[in-house]
Amino acid sequence: HVQLVESGGGSVQAGGSLRLSCVASNTYTFENYCMGWFREAPGKEREGLAAIERDGTTTIADPVKGRFTISRDNGANTLYLQMSNLKPEDTANYVCAADLGEAPVAVVTGNCHLGFWGQGTQVTVS
């Protein structure tokens, strides 16, 4: 089955930047997947952040619009989330997810129904 492994998280000061990566393995059809990122923090609802469709169309959630961008490298089976001007309220576990047509769906962002996801990478902003 497809595996999604995130990396790039860490601790950063407010105003700083991080780039998260997500590598998809056990798949030859990564380019066909609608992909996205969501985050989870204790005491908060799961929050969809960004999605990118197979044609490259992107959707960015309002809370992070202008600060986060999503991109993909289909040749490397990799999804990215570039985060800038980070704030303490961005502290969360950031999870990479794919629309594989599976249920249950974690979040819906844009046209992506993200129902398959990785373990996440922790981002802490102080």
Side-chain angles (χ1 to χ4, degrees):
H1 204 290
V2 176
Q3 290 186 329
L4 301 175
V5 179
E6 303 91 336
S7 63
S11 297
V12 63
Q13 291 188 335
S17 299
L18 283 174
R19 188 176 80 156
L20 307 183
S21 300
C22 169
V23 177
S25 59
N26 297 335
T27 178
Y28 295 100
T29 57
F30 174 80
E31 65 271 18
N32 291 335
Y33 302 153
C34 194
M35 299 290 298
W37 292 91
F38 64 86
R39 65 188 178 189
E40 297 179 307
K44 296 183 180 180
E45 291 189 1
R46 180 180 293 157
E47 183 177 27
L49 300 173
I52 183 166
E53 300 175 37
R54 55 187 294 178
D55 67 355
T57 299
T58 61
T59 301
I60 306 294
D62 286 343
V64 300
K65 193 169 291 183
R67 300 190 297 122
F68 290 12
T69 58
I70 187 171
S71 61
R72 64 195 299 165
D73 181 347
N74 290 332
N77 281 11
T78 302
L79 178 74
Y80 300 101
L81 185 69
Q82 178 68 49
M83 307 185 295
S84 61
N85 190 22
L86 284 162
K87 305 175 182 180
E89 52 264 42
D90 293 320
T91 295
N93 189 44
Y94 284 70
V95 183
C96 166
D99 182 347
L100 304 182
E102 297 187 354
V105 173
V107 292
V108 177
T109 302
N111 291 319
C112 299
H113 293 66
L114 302 172
F116 184 82
W117 55 92
Q119 294 296 312
T121 184
Q122 178 67 31
V123 172
T124 302
V125 185
S126 59

